[in-house]
Amino acid sequence: MKIRNSALAGIALAATAALGLTACGGGTPAGDSSSSAASNGGGSDGITVYNAQHESLTKEWVDAFTAETGIKVTMRQGSDTELSNQIIQEGQASPADVFLTENSPAMTQVENAGLFADVDKDTLAQVPAEFAPSTGKWTGIAARSTVLVYNKTKLTEDQLPKSMLDLANPEWKGKWAASPTGADFQAIVSALLELKGEAATGEWLKGMKENSKAYKGNSTAMKAVNAGEVDAALIYHYYYYGDQAKTGENSSNVTPYYFKNQDPGAFLSVSGAGVLKSSKNAAAAQQFLKFITGKKGQEVLKNGTSFEYAIGSEVPANDKLVPIKDLQAPKVDAAKLNSEKVTDLMTQAGLL
Amino acid sequence: MTTDLSAPARRSTTTAGRGNSPRPPFGVSAVSVLAVLIALFSLVPLGYVAYMTVATGWDTAVGLILRPRVGELLLNTLLLMAATIPLCLLLGVAGAWLVERTKVRGHRVWAVLLAAPLAVPAFVNSYAWVTAIPSLGGLGSGILISTLSYFPLVYIPAAATLSRLDPAIEQSAAALGLGAWRTFFRVVLPQLRIAMTGGALLVGLHLLAEYGAFAMIRFDTFTTAIMTQYQSTFNGAAGNMLASVLVLFCLLLLLAEVRSRGTARYARIGSGVQGKALRLPLHAYQWPAQLFLLALTALAFGLPLVYVIRWILAGGADIWTASEFLPALLTTFSYGLAGAAATTVVAFPMAYLAVRHPGWFSKSLELSNYVTSSMPGIVVALAFVTVSIRLVPGVYQTAGLLVAAYVLLFIPRALVNLRAGLAQAPKELDEAAQALGKPPLLAFIRVTLRLTAPAAAGGAALVFLAIANELTATLLLSPNGTRTLATEFWSKSSEIDYAGAAPYALLMILLSAPMTYLLFQQSKKVAGQ
């Protein structure tokens, strides 16, 4: 009987170990949270960046930053709204120190949830006011322009739409593409929503559901234009320049067309960065923001392969790009862009 | 995603464990408690989906489910299954019959080659096909790619069953005047029922769960749409409602499989040694048969391999940035090992109960595991993310939570193998060891555990294979900074950096190939019991 008891105990022990492994010590959350925070780089040895920017661009920033300061950076990759909603769900327990996005609506969402700390004054001083919200809770770090890339063997210049809104008209049925699941596209819709209101946006999205083909990712959409699967695609400018700078194999038949005239389709979207209130390493996190909006960080945009617009520290845009002042972008207050409403409208239109 | 490839093993294992053992090696009650705990844990995702559906509120839920978009997804998913499952059955059974029961030349080589496509993850297959035909997209392409990726799930059990089928029945049929074709349809095919329903279930579950392969060719199913919703809202009501419809689909599939499996007895009755199956001469059909096998292998295995290698050659030395792919390889290895070990340990109490104490109790425990593992990785991951943030924030984004998800997703792979192994270890040996004076636990370890080891290793290998190619749960649950072969491949190929993605694709195929071969061998042994 004694032996049997010890056998029981042994099995129980083994099983506890197994369950412990699966639940990862679910019974001791306190002990675990400290260890997980450490392993996530939330301790004093580094910062964790929730990154919705292109991985390659942020990696350039991170490598340069770590080289200069010795501060280790851990990245978690995701899309704008995935990560913003994740940060909101995580609340005070969030392992993130810094949040970087491609577009501003997700920044506004986190700001509205009250989770951002104030950005350091030195950092804000490096960025012109039009590229940062008046609240100072986050800052712009780069910008990207909306553009219609079209296949020059299939469309001539006089066939191009005057406005982005024309793409909802029947003559464009089956002719254009976009990546509706991406944050880029959703930011364009949020600008449309801010400029033209909910009813017009809903109508336009319905037309889009009728007319457009959905691709996963802007590069893929451009590749489809290049291959002649569709005539045109509504994307951001730098996918074209990036491909041209490489092999050009996905853009050799493609030309970018800028709507200009303050059209919703000329929207200039601001990429944002902010420091979380819950950050356990706020000083290093602020330092990172200061670095990317500073001269060295912005020169990564000017000289690197991302082809996004530099906006801070008076660093000019990459020579190959149309200068920002020539884009005739509509005036949109970044702090007013609403991603939740956009997702709802897109879900209603059957695009999501 | 389950891989209950050795479905026939289910019925062959239930005869051990009858009779009363005077001294069980350890308390059955303790094992039962453990098994119940594991089963309860495995119901977390199902409970989550049910809870979210209720919490959303009836009106909102109905509004989100009864909208045109869901109708589109429903149609897409149904058409995909309606076309792909029969095609997989056709190709799988035809292939199995050719290599096992006809005088097709080179049948040994073909037998292995037809299983080989299983080593190519479906999203790698998709990537190769998109390279070959860039305009691929929509339902037709979805059917093409999933058929080529999943027909081995039918082929492997069908070939295993055919290779062990008692030829006496066929000979009787022939003696009674049935021709070759009628013998096949009236005698052979019915015997394949378990292999076919089991295989069809697996294909169906894979179709419901697949994300990467369909996302790459712009074909929307429930799983791709849930992923899209997740990326837009993280944990929005719309995504959860889609998940509840998907779970319903999975349950219906499980039910359909149980119904169509039937209750007939398939084991051989009678004494004496089973005769060796006769191979049918093909005569004029030899060349068409060779052409069929060649075309199938070329499209399902040759094409992806050729295009992966082409991208690797096109990328040159630059794409082999060791600083990136070595950590990914190492991470994939560690998760594969940890997940395989944990799954095998967790599956053990369940398998033990099923073999040594069969009954409604062990059956229902097992069923709860099948239900969970039939859910796509995205649903399980969503449940884990939400539950852990709200209830146990300490485990959120830890390696342990990811491993726990792997355990739930892949437990049947370990379970099926363990059961077969335990069934082969007669408990009389255990009792004999005890009678000779060994204490029960020692007897259990020395005898039963040792005899079960090969089967456990086989099961663990299968779990390892599944984890190495897993994408959605890994994307959602992994700790910050984690990179696996699958996630790296996905991020590179999404950016249409096809050359950069190629090394990861090749490494996944190389890791999977030996596991696939092991699976192929194991299934034949299991069918032979």
Side-chain angles (χ1 to χ4, degrees):
Chain A
M1 201 61 207
K2 205 154 190 150
I3 293 162
R4 189 159 154 193
N5 276 342
S6 72
L8 261 175
I11 286 298
L13 200 72
T16 316
L19 275 177
L21 187 58
T22 58
C24 192
T28 54
D32 266 85
S33 70
S34 61
S35 71
S36 79
S39 66
N40 289 341
S44 57
D45 61 328
I47 54 173
T48 295
V49 173
Y50 274 26
N51 181 46
Q53 251 298 348
H54 283 245
E55 206 169 352
S56 45
L57 172 60
T58 306
K59 213 163 169 302
E60 273 186 82
W61 275 328
V62 162
D63 289 346
F65 175 71
T66 306
E68 186 169 292
T69 61
I71 297 170
K72 219 182 88 202
V73 179
T74 307
M75 275 159 65
R76 182 178 192 87
Q77 195 65 28
S79 75
D80 276 5
T81 35
E82 174 189 346
L83 291 178
S84 61
N85 283 298
Q86 184 167 0
I87 286 171
I88 290 167
Q89 294 246 354
E90 289 168 357
Q92 295 308 311
S94 179
D97 298 291
V98 173
F99 180 32
L100 291 192
T101 59
E102 291 187 334
N103 301 285
S104 60
M107 300 303 295
T108 309
Q109 204 190 346
V110 175
E111 180 184 346
N112 290 343
L115 295 174
F116 276 139
D118 290 326
V119 175
D120 275 359
K121 294 228 159 35
D122 302 354
T123 304
L124 288 175
Q126 301 184 122
V127 181
E130 69 228 68
F131 297 119
S134 50
T135 53
K137 290 289 181 186
W138 55 271
T139 175
I141 51 174
R144 41 182 67 193
S145 171
T146 313
V147 65
L148 187 76
V149 288
Y150 67 97
N151 186 311
K152 52 195 174 200
T153 67
K154 301 189 92 184
L155 288 181
T156 56
E157 243 172 272
D158 56 309
Q159 287 172 305
L160 294 170
K162 287 267 172 305
S163 161
M164 180 182 98
L165 297 174
D166 297 344
L167 292 172
N169 298 339
E171 68 262 26
W172 280 92
K173 191 171 168 68
K175 289 192 178 161
W176 66 286
S179 173
T181 62
D184 281 0
F185 189 79
Q186 290 170 14
I188 298 173
V189 179
S190 73
L192 178 64
L193 178 66
E194 175 61 19
L195 290 165
K196 302 280 171 187
E198 193 175 328
T201 306
E203 275 307 304
W204 189 79
L205 288 172
K206 266 188 215 137
M208 173 182 176
K209 169 79 180 171
E210 275 290 302
N211 290 352
S212 71
K213 278 195 187 177
Y215 285 82
K216 194 189 168 296
N218 284 333
S219 330
T220 324
M222 184 175 72
K223 185 170 178 265
V225 173
N226 191 57
E229 289 168 39
V230 280
D231 295 357
L234 197 59
I235 60 174
Y236 280 151
H237 74 281
Y238 61 90
Y239 293 94
Y240 170 77
Y241 296 98
D243 195 68
Q244 286 285 306
K246 277 195 262 172
T247 58
E249 65 176 311
N250 296 313
S251 61
S252 50
N253 301 320
V254 166
T255 306
Y257 166 65
Y258 293 87
F259 287 100
K260 302 193 175 176
N261 298 320
Q262 283 77 43
D263 190 76
F267 172 59
L268 186 68
S269 187
V270 173
S271 305
V275 173
L276 277 297
K277 243 187 210 163
S278 56
S279 169
K280 289 170 198 73
N281 204 352
Q286 294 284 1
Q287 212 179 331
F288 183 63
L289 255 56
K290 191 176 170 195
F291 177 83
I292 51 179
T293 52
K295 211 161 170 2
K296 279 188 192 160
Q298 293 294 301
E299 272 170 356
V300 166
L301 295 168
K302 181 183 182 287
N303 305 322
T305 53
S306 71
F307 293 99
E308 293 190 48
Y309 283 102
I311 56 169
S313 299
E314 290 168 355
V315 175
N318 191 304
D319 310 336
K320 297 207 172 78
L321 304 179
V322 180
I324 284 191
K325 61 174 175 17
D326 296 346
L327 293 173
Q328 299 173 15
K331 276 207 169 11
V332 183
D333 183 356
K336 284 194 180 150
L337 299 182
N338 185 332
S339 65
E340 274 160 79
K341 190 80 217 165
V342 165
T343 321
D344 281 353
L345 286 172
M346 290 182 72
T347 304
Q348 277 168 32
L351 287 160
L352 291 182
Chain B
M1 286 191 260
T2 67
T3 299
D4 177 11
L5 280 167
S6 21
R10 279 189 204 162
R11 62 187 53 248
S12 61
T13 51
T14 47
T15 45
R18 295 262 163 78
N20 282 321
S21 162
R23 295 209 325 174
F26 37 71
V28 171
S29 55
V31 182
S32 304
V33 167
L34 270 178
V36 169
L37 282 179
I38 294 162
L40 284 179
F41 183 58
S42 80
L43 288 176
V44 166
L46 190 66
Y48 157 80
V49 171
Y51 173 81
M52 291 308 275
T53 309
V54 172
T56 302
W58 182 249
D59 289 342
T60 317
V62 168
L64 283 170
I65 291 173
L66 298 181
R67 61 189 173 111
R69 175 69 173 158
V70 177
E72 281 170 35
L73 298 175
L74 198 66
L75 192 68
N76 273 359
T77 308
L78 283 176
L79 289 176
L80 176 74
M81 297 215 287
T84 308
I85 295 176
L87 275 173
C88 286
L89 285 172
L90 188 73
L91 293 176
V93 171
W97 184 74
L98 276 177
V99 301
E100 294 297 340
R101 305 307 294 270
T102 71
K103 289 186 175 164
V104 73
R105 263 175 236 134
H107 63 86
R108 275 173 220 280
V109 179
W110 287 125
V112 177
L113 279 178
L114 284 187
L118 211 57
V120 183
F123 54 98
V124 171
N125 214 345
S126 197
Y127 150 93
W129 274 92
V130 162
T131 309
I133 310 172
S135 63
L136 273 190
L139 178 66
S141 314
I143 294 170
L144 172 81
I145 284 160
S146 46
T147 302
L148 291 176
S149 299
Y150 299 138
F151 83 85
L153 297 172
V154 176
Y155 161 76
I156 290 175
T161 311
L162 279 176
S163 72
R164 296 289 180 155
L165 216 56
D166 190 346
I169 314 173
E170 284 161 78
Q171 284 154 6
S172 311
L176 291 169
L178 284 188
W181 278 109
R182 288 168 73 192
T183 305
F184 178 79
F185 280 106
R186 289 182 55 184
V187 178
V188 179
L189 210 54
Q191 304 265 353
L192 286 176
R193 192 163 162 178
I194 293 178
M196 285 169 68
T197 52
L201 172 71
L202 278 179
V203 174
L205 291 176
H206 273 85
L207 292 177
L208 289 182
E210 182 59 52
Y211 165 67
F214 296 148
M216 215 173 286
I217 54 167
R218 302 189 302 108
F219 178 62
D220 283 332
T221 65
F222 277 97
T223 296
T224 62
I226 294 171
M227 196 70 179
T228 300
Q229 276 289 348
Y230 170 83
Q231 280 163 358
S232 302
T233 60
F234 187 69
N235 188 19
N240 284 309
M241 291 311 103
L242 290 179
S244 69
V245 178
L246 186 57
V247 167
L248 198 69
F249 250 105
C250 293
L251 292 176
L252 286 176
L253 263 188
L254 279 179
L255 201 70
E257 196 260 353
V258 171
R259 295 296 301 262
S260 61
R261 199 196 303 156
T263 51
R265 185 193 158 96
Y266 295 92
R268 185 170 177 269
I269 311 170
S271 58
V273 179
Q274 180 172 318
K276 209 169 154 56
L278 293 176
R279 285 178 179 274
L280 205 70
L282 284 173
H283 306 300
Y285 295 109
Q286 181 67 244
W287 282 110
Q290 292 286 342
L291 207 65
F292 167 73
L293 293 173
L294 183 70
L296 189 56
T297 316
L299 293 179
F301 189 64
L303 186 136
L305 206 62
V306 164
Y307 277 99
V308 167
I309 290 169
R310 262 184 63 171
W311 278 120
I312 284 181
L313 294 178
D318 290 353
I319 53 175
W320 293 96
T321 37
S323 62
E324 284 182 22
F325 86 81
L326 272 182
L329 184 64
L330 200 69
T331 308
T332 306
F333 248 122
S334 335
Y335 274 109
L337 285 181
T343 309
T344 311
V345 171
V346 169
F348 198 88
M350 208 84 72
Y352 185 83
L353 279 183
V355 173
R356 297 284 163 96
H357 304 276
W360 66 269
F361 179 64
S362 56
K363 258 263 152 322
S364 48
L365 286 181
E366 222 183 321
L367 194 69
S368 75
N369 281 307
Y370 277 107
V371 168
T372 301
S373 54
S374 72
M375 291 186 218
I378 175 97
V379 177
V380 173
L382 262 179
F384 272 36
V385 166
T386 311
V387 171
S388 68
I389 287 181
R390 293 189 188 167
L391 303 180
V392 271
V395 302
Y396 176 66
Q397 282 184 3
T398 56
L401 195 70
L402 181 55
V403 171
Y406 288 150
V407 169
L408 290 199
L409 284 169
F410 304 128
I411 207 170
R413 298 182 181 221
L415 199 57
V416 166
N417 276 270
L418 273 176
R419 284 177 44 150
L422 274 170
Q424 278 174 325
K427 70 171 179 182
E428 287 74 15
L429 286 180
D430 212 333
E431 287 160 10
Q434 287 181 41
L436 289 170
K438 293 273 182 245
L441 181 63
L442 202 61
F444 173 78
I445 292 171
R446 287 267 179 91
V447 179
T448 306
L449 220 48
R450 235 160 100 179
L451 287 173
T452 321
L462 285 185
V463 177
F464 181 91
L465 170 68
I467 293 173
N469 299 333
E470 211 285 336
L471 183 64
T472 43
T474 314
L475 284 176
L476 267 63
L477 290 172
S478 59
N480 291 320
T482 304
R483 290 143 178 275
T484 68
L485 293 178
T487 62
E488 284 300 274
F489 170 82
W490 184 245
S491 102
K492 293 259 188 324
S493 60
S494 302
E495 288 283 311
I496 55 173
D497 179 4
Y498 288 170
Y504 299 100
L506 187 67
L507 285 172
M508 277 188 280
I509 295 175
L510 290 180
L511 265 182
S512 307
M515 307 294 177
T516 303
Y517 186 69
L518 189 95
L519 165 63
F520 176 69
Q521 297 289 65
Q522 274 258 332
S523 70
K524 296 218 158 182
K525 274 190 221 148
V526 168
Q529 279 170 36

